[in-house]
């Protein structure tokens, strides 16, 4: 029995002697590896988040610049909003068109927008302050301490057609000289107002960058 104990004693002492350094060594490896693994995980998360954000942004931009094919086919007959504005404001610069287009960015699809282009003959007769007063009336009538034109005095956003034409009727009662009698009656009424304050266009946005628009020739008729 003593021989056995003597045989195992060196092994036991060797084990006791080597286990602490081995444990210390592996502990050191773990301590060194954990910060590296943690740092690597953080980098992977950050990199993955950036790639996901890029993918989402790219998809959003693609949808804006390239609408889905079904939408493109549905609104293919309509002009772009930019083209519509260039027709309405035929004398406007590119910077002015861009400004008007940005104003329309906040307009919801199918909300009616009244656009008034000035009649220089009317302005020559009545003066620019009188013209601005009419535009301010269209911008503020029916509202409290706010405007529906973003101070453009040309583009007026309404919630629906009923509101648009109700405001038109209000202005016709308030400022009748902004409206004119139809050409067929002008010979019989030479002293009546023969020229409107401007030309009225009705525009509605459809799709992402498309608009339906037209000239409402009867908008400024006095009757």
């Amino acid at each position: 029995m003593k021989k056995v104990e003597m045989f195992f004693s060196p092994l036991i002492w060797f084990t006791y002697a080597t286990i602490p350094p081995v444990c210390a060594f592996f502990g050191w490896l773990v301590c060194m590896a954990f910060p590296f693994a943690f740092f690597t995980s953080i980098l992977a998360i950050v990199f993955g988040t950036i790639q996901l954000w890029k993918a989402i942004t790219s998809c959003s931009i693609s949808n804006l610049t390239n609408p889905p094919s079904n939408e493109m086919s549905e609104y293919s007959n309509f002009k772009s909003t930019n083209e519509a504005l260039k027709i309405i404001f035929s004398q406007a610069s590119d910077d002015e068109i861009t400004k008007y287009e940005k104003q329309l960015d906040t307009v919801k699809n199918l909300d009616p927008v009244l656009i008034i282009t000035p009649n220089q003959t009317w302005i020559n007769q009545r003066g620019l302050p009188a013209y601005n007063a009419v535009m301010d009336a269209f911008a503020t009538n029916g509202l409290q301490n706010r405007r529906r034109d973003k101070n453009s005095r040309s583009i007026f956003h309404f919630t629906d057609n009923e509101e648009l034409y109700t405001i038109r009727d209000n202005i016709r009662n308030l400022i009748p000289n902004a409206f004119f009698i139809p050409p067929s009656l002008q010979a019989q009424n030479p002293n009546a107002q023969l020229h409107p304050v401007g030309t009225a266009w009705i525009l509605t946005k459809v799709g992402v960058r498309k608009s339906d628009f037209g000239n409402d020739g009867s908008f400024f008729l006095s009757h």
Side-chain angles (χ1 to χ4, degrees), residues 138 141 158 160-173 219:
F138 273 103
N141 188 267
F158 295 87
D160 52 43
N161 284 323
E162 181 180 4
E163 181 192 24
L164 190 161
Y165 286 99
T166 296
I167 298 303
R168 188 275 307 270
D169 293 343
N170 292 345
I171 304 303
R172 184 159 54 191
N173 292 328
F219 189 87

Side-chain angles (χ1 to χ4, degrees), residues 63-182:
N63 286 337
L64 286 175
T65 56
N66 301 296
S69 58
N70 60 337
E71 180 177 277
M72 291 180 66
S73 60
E74 183 178 359
Y75 302 120
S76 59
N77 293 329
F78 294 99
K79 292 186 180 298
S80 70
T81 301
N82 183 275
E83 291 172 326
L85 290 172
K86 286 182 176 179
I87 292 173
I88 296 171
F89 297 102
S90 58
Q91 304 299 318
S93 66
D94 289 341
D95 289 342
E96 289 173 318
I97 294 297
T98 299
K99 181 183 68 174
Y100 295 144
E101 195 169 9
K102 287 182 179 179
Q103 183 177 343
L104 292 174
D105 282 345
T106 58
V107 175
K108 297 178 181 178
N109 280 0
L110 303 182
D111 278 4
V113 175
L114 169 65
I115 300 177
I116 300 176
T117 54
N119 183 344
Q120 192 59 47
T121 301
W122 192 95
I123 294 175
N124 292 339
Q125 291 177 346
R126 303 284 179 174
L128 183 59
Y131 175 83
N132 289 338
V134 176
M135 297 303 105
D136 289 339
F138 273 103
T140 60
N141 188 267
L143 300 178
Q144 294 291 331
N145 300 320
R146 58 191 180 95
R147 300 174 67 97
R148 57 173 59 88
D149 69 335
K150 294 188 176 181
N151 293 309
S152 67
R153 284 179 171 160
S154 57
I155 298 178
F156 309 89
H157 176 206
F158 295 87
T159 56
D160 52 43
N161 284 323
E162 181 180 4
E163 181 192 24
L164 190 161
Y165 286 99
T166 296
I167 298 303
R168 188 275 307 270
D169 293 343
N170 292 345
I171 304 303
R172 184 159 54 191
N173 292 328
L174 291 170
I175 315 176
N177 61 23
F179 297 77
F180 75 118
I181 63 173

Side-chain angles (χ1 to χ4, degrees), residues 14 32 42 47 58 88 91 147 151 184 192-193:
F14 175 78
M32 292 297 292
I42 294 298
F47 179 77
S58 176
I88 296 171
Q91 304 299 318
R147 300 174 67 97
N151 293 309
S184 60
Q193 180 64 41

Side-chain angles (χ1 to χ4, degrees), residues 27-61:
W28 176 81
L29 285 179
V30 171
C31 290
M32 292 297 292
F34 178 77
F36 176 76
F38 178 76
F39 180 71
T40 304
S41 300
I42 294 298
L43 286 180
I45 292 172
V46 171
F47 179 77
T49 302
I50 292 173
Q51 294 303 313
L52 179 61
W53 179 81
K54 286 182 177 180
I56 293 173
T57 303
S58 176
C59 182
S60 299
I61 294 174

